[in-house]
């Protein structure tokens, strides 16, 4: 059994930042990650990091834009923390050598981004995430922080108290991908989940193949609520054949969207009156699909994004990477032709419920980054707000787990007196675990109130058995098929446009995949680098998350941010200024709601109509 | 231990025809689902009617009896518009043989995990269009690296070399904190820009004859990483001297024989050879010793 003060699961932006912070706080910290850190998906981020750095801008404006962008579903204490800490965290990256794009005076450049009232998106070409990831990894190397790379964390070692709020997390169990060994990792102080997004729930996504939401699914099954999962961001400009992202930076620099008739539809059809192409992502995604559905799409599938008029010099200076992406992945020369684009899954705004200090309901368990929901994005994330989230909340989680006092959090966790139960959501099938004998359905890590070592040891045993079982079966269904069925149903039914019938269909499909998963088997008998096994375990996580997204989407009968419902074309503030919460409850998902916090440090954010 | 010996590989090569039928598992549930799937359209890219191509893939697994001897498997892959080598590998794995093993993640040339030896050249699988290659498309693990399994190679040595050059920013003075940037001129940023693009894919190292013969040679990626910092105007003279000491040693810059193979294969178009040459010139300027 390996033992450290703090264990960080995941080596993307959030994980690296958390590890550095814990190290600076004096903790013995280790990173356990299924990909080598530099392979993490943070490296794909293109556009930039929002930070109020310049005169004329300040954190309050950033907070206001974010609250508005979130369609008033973000929690003010989280949003204000993001806006307040981001400048310092961004400059910290600069001080660590991150190669930002520069102004004539040598300071870092900033550019306009959708939904922002000030050009506060700090960037490094169109490859901001790559530089951020590598810069932080360099600091990890510098500090000699231990990295267990290509180790797949398959479960959390959590005690089995009946009340999830009394459970404690003492570590994790991980599988050494290179050798097939299952081993325990004990955390003396805390485990920080930084496992990233859930893009693989859909078949057209900007996300990496590794983005299977493992951390969120593990925390959920251990008893931590998932928050606001129905809010899935679809990015309006992805390449049709692969889902590769064309950064919002293109529109920030002045790129224009056209339909098949050559019309600049954002203005001509009035989807956004002031900001046009730079309206918020949900607005632009719906506009594109409405164009396509009205017969004004190209090949009935996509629209055009044109940047030719920006001129070669500006494009190569600021968007060079986009030229490569368009050429390599779509065979289009962005200097000569407009680029085909359509909406694709991009970001999961919901996730593991945490407070501003990164803490979850379970003692000793933290989460940060895309897998978490401290609720800075609410129902719609503004471009350039995820990267600051990684560093701001990654650092806070790292510090707190290492023992620093960050003060009392304002955001509550779990069920308090303020919550509201859902009564009577009709679902076509009983969601959740198929059989209660499924060991995964229960949340315990072993004996109640046992000592930490024993909790970890028991979890190791369970994981060994689970893996043995998957490996021993020699016939059944393979993950690829199950995953494809799941993705297909989610794409058809729980996409940008949603209706009750489709959502119910999705729940049925998901349950069917869940049942089939009982027959899942691993074809590859090898212990060495068994990706067949890993993908099979991941697929189980995707099933639970797809269900969480769909249940939330069915419950929320209003139109807010990225969540559009056909029969409910308005934001219902009277009823829905609340977060959708989902608890696994030993295998049976339970829905409840907690109020949104609109009270900030100096003011209360009044919900207003969002217009761009 | 090096399991990959290219010459041997050729000799032990056994061609196996794998097709969809041979791996189907007659399960009732599955049959139901297949029938359903037929009825609906999927979001997958359009297959080009009737056209397939041959994908030859290197196979090896130290643990599995039938795979302990390296061999090549053939897969018939339906051509799709815009299909990349990575797409073809995923197709082969998901439809024909789920034991086929390779690293991949981002599908967009940024994670650096799918550098492979494709038709005799180091390339990223995800960045290489099938339509740009001659059939059959032959995929092997990166040469000169130990093979773990199928297309997966051991990257430890590559990481060690990267770590050996102190790959982190060490500016002259500490920043004053408080939102103070270390200012950098646009020209200087431009100068180091290409060097910062490395995604640690290992293609360059694998293509380098010198690295293949000298295990201690730092190699193009690590020297490029050192270049990124040595040329950054914000690291001071002392630091630069320290960096040049690291590079100006027996297995450092002087090993490079200017063959350009690294530069030719780098998927991020980093002018590696040029950067190595520049480091040699810097070393001379610093009046340090030759090897
Ligand atoms: C194409 C693209 C462009 C984007 N552009 C921007 C932008 O310009 N600005 C912005 O603000 N945001 C952007 N985003 C969003 C932002 O990049 C992501 O939200 C963010 O990078 C996620 O970081 P993370 O650290 O949470 O996760 P990731 O970087 O995905 O890291 C997850 C880590 O967890 C590890 N892991 C996962 N599961 C396990 C497991 N079971 N066991 C062990 N380890 C595990 C992985 O190995 C990985 O190291 C973009 C996103 C995409 C996809
Ligand atoms: S220098 Fe180029 S080829 Fe070498 S590791 Fe970096 S990206 Fe790959
Ligand atoms: S899959 Fe990431 S570089 Fe090819």
């Amino acid at each position: 059994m390996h033992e450290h003060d703090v264990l960080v699961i995941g080596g993307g932006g959030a994980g690296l930042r958390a590890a550095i912070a814990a190290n600076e706080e004096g903790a013995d910290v280790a990173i356990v990650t299924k990909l080598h850190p530099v392979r993490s998906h943070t490296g794909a981020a293109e556009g930039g990091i929002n930070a109020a750095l310049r005169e004329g801008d300040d954190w309050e404006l950033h907070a206001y834009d974010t609250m508005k962008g979130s369609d008033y579903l973000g929690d003010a204490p989280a949003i204000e923390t993001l806006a307040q800490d981001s400048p310092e965290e961004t400059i910290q990256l600069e001080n660590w050598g991150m190669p930002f794009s520069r102004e004539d005076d040598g300071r870092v450049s900033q550019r306009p981004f959708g939904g922002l009232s000030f050009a506060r998106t700090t960037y490094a070409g169109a490859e901001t995430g790559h530089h951020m990831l590598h810069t932080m990894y360099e600091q990890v190397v510098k500090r000699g922080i231990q990295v267990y790379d290509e180790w797949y964390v398959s479960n959390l070692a959590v005690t089995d108290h009946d009340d999830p709020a009394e459970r404690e997390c003492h570590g994790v169990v991980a599988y050494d991908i290179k050798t097939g060994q299952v081993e325990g990792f004990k955390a003396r102080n805390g485990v920080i989940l930084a496992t990233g997004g859930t893009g693989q729930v859909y078949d057209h996504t900007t996300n990496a193949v590794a983005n299977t939401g493992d951390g969120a699914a593990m925390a959920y099954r251990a008893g931590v609520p998932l928050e606001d999962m129905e809010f899935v961001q679809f990015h309006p400009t992805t390449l049709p054949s692969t889902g590769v992202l064309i950064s919002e930076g293109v529109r920030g620099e002045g790129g224009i969207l056209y339909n098949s008739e050559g019309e600049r539809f954002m203005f001509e059809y009035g989807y956004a009156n002031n900001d046009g192409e730079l309206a918020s992502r949900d607005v632009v995604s719906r506009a594109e699909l409405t164009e396509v559905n009205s017969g004004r799409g190209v090949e009935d599938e996509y629209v055009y994004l044109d940047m030719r008029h920006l001129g070669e010099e500006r494009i190569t200076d600021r968007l060079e990477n986009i030229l490569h992406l368009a050429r390599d992945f779509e065979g289009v020369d962005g200097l000569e032709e407009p680029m085909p684009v359509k909406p694709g899954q991009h970001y999961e705004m919901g996730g593991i419920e945490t407070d501003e200090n990164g803490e979850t309901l379970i003692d000793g368990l933290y989460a940060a980054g895309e897998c978490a929901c401290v609720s800075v994005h609410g129902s719609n994330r503004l471009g350039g707000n995820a990267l600051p989230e990684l560093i701001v909340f990654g650092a806070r989680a790292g510090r707190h787990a290492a023992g620093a006092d960050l003060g009392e959090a304002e955001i509550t966790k779990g069920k308090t007196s303020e919550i509201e139960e859902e009564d009577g959501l009709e679902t076509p099938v009983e969601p959740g675990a198929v059989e209660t004998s499924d060991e995964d359905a229960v949340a315990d890590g072993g004996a109640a109130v046992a000592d930490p070592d024993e909790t970890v040891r028991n979890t190791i045993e369970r994981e060994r058995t689970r893996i043995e079982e998957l490996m021993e079966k020699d016939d059944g269904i393979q993950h690829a098929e199950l995953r494809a069925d799941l993705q297909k149903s989610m794409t058809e039914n729980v996409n940008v446009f949603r209706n009750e019938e489709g959502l119910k269909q999705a729940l049925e499909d998901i349950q069917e995949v869940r049942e089939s998963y009982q027959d899942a088997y691993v074809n590859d008998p090898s212990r060495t680098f068994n990706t067949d096994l890993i993908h099979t375990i991941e697929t189980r996580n995707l099933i639970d998350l797809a269900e969480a997204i769909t249940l939330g989407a069915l419950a929320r009968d209003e139109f807010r941010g990225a969540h559009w419902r056909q029969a409910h074309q308005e934001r219902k503030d009277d009823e829905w200024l609340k977060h959708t919460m989902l608890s696994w409850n030993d295998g049976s998902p339970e829905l409840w709601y907690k109020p949104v916090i609109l009270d900030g440090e100096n003011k209360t954010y009044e919900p207003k109509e969002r217009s761009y | 231990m090096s399991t990959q010996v290219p010459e041997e590989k050729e000799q032990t090569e056994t061609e196996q025809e794998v097709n969809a039928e041979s791996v189907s598992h007659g399960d009732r549930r599955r049959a139901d689902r297949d029938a359903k799937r037929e009825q609906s359209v999927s979001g997958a890219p359009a297959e080009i009617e009737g056209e397939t191509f041959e994908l030859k893939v290197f196979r090896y697994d130290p643990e599995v009896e039938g795979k302990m001897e390296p061999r090549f498997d053939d897969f018939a892959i339906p051509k799709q518009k815009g299909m990349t080598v990575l797409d073809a590998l995923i197709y082969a794995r998901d439809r024909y043989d789920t034991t086929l093993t390779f690293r991949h993640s981002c599908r967009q040339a940024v994670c650096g995990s799918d550098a492979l030896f494709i038709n005799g050249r180091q390339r990223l699988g995800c960045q290489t269009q099938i339509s740009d290659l001659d059939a059959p498309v032959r995929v092997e693990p990166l040469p000169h690296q130990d093979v773990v399994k199928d297309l997966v190679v051991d990257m430890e040595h590559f990481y060690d070399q990267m770590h050996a050059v102190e790959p982190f920013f060490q500016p002259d003075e500490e920043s004053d904190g408080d939102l103070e940037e270390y200012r950098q001129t646009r020209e200087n940023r431009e100068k180091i820009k290409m060097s910062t693009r490395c995604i640690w894919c290992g293609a360059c190292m694998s293509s380098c004859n010198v690295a293949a013969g000298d295990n201690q040679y730092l190699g193009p990626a690590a020297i490029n990483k050192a270049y990124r910092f040595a040329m950054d105007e914000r690291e001071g003279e002392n630091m630069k001297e320290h960096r040049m000491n690291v590079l100006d040693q027996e297995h450092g810059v002087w090993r490079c024989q200017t063959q350009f193979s690294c530069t030719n294969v780098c998927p991020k178009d980093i002018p590696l050879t040029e950067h190595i040459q520049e480091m040699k010139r810097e070393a001379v300027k610093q009046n340090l010793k030759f090897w």
Side-chain angles (χ1 to χ4, degrees), chain A residues 9-15 32-35 37 40-42 44-49 113 151-154 194-197 206-207 210-211 214-215 218 245 346-347 368-371 381 383-388 390, chain B residues 108:
Chain A
I9 315 307
V32 189
T33 170
K34 68 179 178 182
L35 305 172
S40 301
H41 203 56
T42 293
E46 296 168 10
I49 310 172
F113 240 43
W151 278 78
Y152 181 91
V153 174
S154 64
T195 52
T206 62
N207 281 201
N211 286 9
D214 301 340
M218 288 188 290
L245 179 87
H346 183 54
Y347 187 89
E370 191 169 337
C371 69
R381 175 175 75 89
N385 260 354
L387 296 181
L390 306 182
Chain B
Q108 55 190 74

Side-chain angles (χ1 to χ4, degrees), chain A residues 374-401:
Chain A
V374 53
S375 201
V376 282
H377 310 305
S379 64
N380 177 59
R381 175 175 75 89
L382 294 181
N385 260 354
L387 296 181
E389 176 190 19
L390 306 182
I391 48 179
V392 167
F393 294 100
R396 291 177 77 90
R399 275 186 212 122
H400 197 279

Side-chain angles (χ1 to χ4, degrees), chain A residues 437-571:
Chain A
S437 66
D438 174 0
E439 293 231 22
D440 263 351
V442 284
D444 67 306
V449 212
D451 80 327
D453 287 337
E454 201 166 324
T455 308
V456 179
R457 271 198 299 272
N458 287 340
T459 317
I460 300 176
E461 274 324 301
R462 261 187 37 202
E463 282 309 289
R464 287 200 176 131
T465 315
R466 166 157 85 138
I467 288 172
E468 266 343 297
E469 277 172 8
L470 281 173
M471 300 276 291
E472 269 166 19
K473 267 190 235 170
D474 48 27
D475 197 8
I477 300 185
Q478 289 179 340
H479 70 81
E481 211 180 302
L482 295 172
R483 214 184 258 204
D485 285 353
L486 188 76
Q487 291 175 340
K488 199 175 102 234
S489 181
M490 290 300 284
T491 302
E492 273 173 17
N493 301 308
V494 200
N495 215 308
V496 174
F497 293 130
R498 300 166 173 186
N499 61 43
E500 185 176 331
E501 194 193 347
L503 294 170
K504 289 189 164 165
Q505 180 62 48
L507 283 176
E508 287 180 33
D509 296 344
I510 293 165
Q511 198 59 14
E512 201 178 316
V513 173
R514 196 189 275 288
E515 271 169 32
S516 304
Y517 190 82
Q518 302 289 304
D519 297 340
Y521 88 109
V522 176
N523 195 23
D524 191 345
S526 179
R527 289 274 163 192
T528 308
F529 223 95
N530 193 332
T531 50
D532 195 4
L533 172 64
I534 299 297
H535 294 167
T536 307
I537 302 176
E538 287 171 345
T539 301
R540 166 66 206 279
N541 295 334
L542 292 174
I543 296 171
D544 289 343
L545 297 174
E547 187 178 78
I549 293 168
T550 312
L551 280 170
L554 183 63
R556 188 175 288 271
D557 48 12
E558 67 158 349
F559 169 19
R560 184 181 298 271
H563 176 64
W564 181 99
R565 285 279 303 261
Q566 190 175 34
H568 306 275
Q569 287 297 303
E570 57 186 321
R571 195 175 81 191

Side-chain angles (χ1 to χ4, degrees), chain A residues 39-112:
Chain A
R39 320 267 177 236
S40 301
H41 203 56
T42 293
E46 296 168 10
I49 310 172
N50 297 339
L53 291 172
R54 297 285 178 258
E55 223 164 279
D57 197 8
D58 65 42
W59 73 261
E60 296 196 34
L61 284 173
H62 184 185
Y64 175 75
D65 289 343
T66 305
M67 190 49 108
K68 176 182 169 203
S70 82
D71 222 352
Y72 303 91
L73 202 78
D75 285 334
I79 288 178
E80 294 193 339
T81 303
L82 177 92
Q84 284 164 343
D85 288 8
S86 178
E88 199 180 319
E89 284 293 338
T90 305
I91 295 304
Q92 174 67 79
L93 287 173
E94 196 278 349
N95 288 176
W96 283 334
M98 177 161 161
F100 282 104
S101 296
R102 299 283 165 172
E103 292 300 330
D104 287 337
D105 66 359
R107 304 188 67 183
V108 299
S109 300
Q110 297 198 300
R111 66 175 157 214

Side-chain angles (χ1 to χ4, degrees), chain A residues 35-36 38-41 43-44 46 53-54 87-88 91 94-109 124-125 127 130-131 134 137-139 141-142 149-150 178-179 200 203 205-211 241-245 299 316-318 320-321 324-325 327-331 474-482 484-485 488 492 512-513 515-516 518-519 521 523-532 535, chain B residues 23-27 29-30 32-34 36-37 40-45 61-64 67 81-82 84 86-87 90 93-113 126-129 148-149 152-156 158-159 163 166-171 174-186 189-190 192-194 196-202 225 228-229 232 234 267-269:
Chain A
L35 305 172
H36 184 281
V38 303
R39 320 267 177 236
S40 301
H41 203 56
E46 296 168 10
L53 291 172
R54 297 285 178 258
E88 199 180 319
I91 295 304
E94 196 278 349
N95 288 176
W96 283 334
M98 177 161 161
F100 282 104
S101 296
R102 299 283 165 172
E103 292 300 330
D104 287 337
D105 66 359
R107 304 188 67 183
V108 299
S109 300
E127 41 201 45
H130 163 81
H131 293 304
H134 282 258
Y137 179 65
E138 288 160 17
Q139 291 298 311
V141 173
K142 179 177 178 189
D149 70 300
E150 300 196 323
K178 278 166 250 164
T179 66
Q200 290 302 313
D203 64 11
T205 173
T206 62
N207 281 201
V209 179
N211 286 9
S241 57
T242 47
V244 166
L245 179 87
E299 290 184 10
T316 15
D317 183 39
R318 305 185 177 196
E320 190 185 341
N321 185 41
H324 294 294
L325 294 176
R327 192 189 56 217
D328 293 340
F329 301 103
E330 201 70 42
D474 48 27
D475 197 8
I477 300 185
Q478 289 179 340
H479 70 81
E481 211 180 302
L482 295 172
D485 285 353
K488 199 175 102 234
E492 273 173 17
E512 201 178 316
V513 173
E515 271 169 32
S516 304
Q518 302 289 304
D519 297 340
Y521 88 109
N523 195 23
D524 191 345
S526 179
R527 289 274 163 192
T528 308
F529 223 95
N530 193 332
T531 50
D532 195 4
H535 294 167
Chain B
V23 287
S24 80
H25 300 276
D27 183 273
R29 256 193 204 126
R30 181 182 156 149
D32 286 357
R33 288 144 30 99
D34 279 355
K36 265 193 218 154
R37 190 180 303 141
S40 56
V41 282
S42 103
D61 187 331
E63 273 190 71
V64 174
K67 269 170 83 181
K81 203 176 132 232
T84 64
L86 178 63
D87 294 332
I90 291 175
R93 181 194 66 197
D94 289 355
R95 305 291 180 99
Y96 296 151
D97 182 357
T98 51
T99 74
L100 176 59
T101 306
F102 46 92
R103 287 192 183 98
H104 68 295
S105 188
C106 70
R107 303 139 39 253
Q108 55 190 74
V110 294
C111 76
S113 61
C126 63
Q127 202 188 27
T128 307
Q129 292 282 326
V148 176
K149 175 174 165 185
V152 174
V153 295
D154 189 345
M155 293 291 289
E156 281 315 310
F158 178 83
Y159 297 149
H163 293 166
E166 300 186 14
F168 36 82
F169 188 47
Q170 301 178 73
E174 285 293 299
S175 145
D176 305 340
D178 259 21
L179 302 187
E180 263 316 306
E181 296 144 73
Y182 296 124
R183 300 206 182 190
Q184 181 184 29
T185 58
R186 279 175 183 253
R189 192 221 174 221
E190 204 51 37
I192 62 163
K193 183 173 93 178
M194 293 310 287
T196 63
R197 297 212 165 143
C198 174
I199 55 173
W200 296 45
C201 71
K225 191 78 182 168
R228 177 255 171 279
F229 293 110
D232 192 311
R234 298 164 302 166
K268 290 289 161 186
D269 301 328

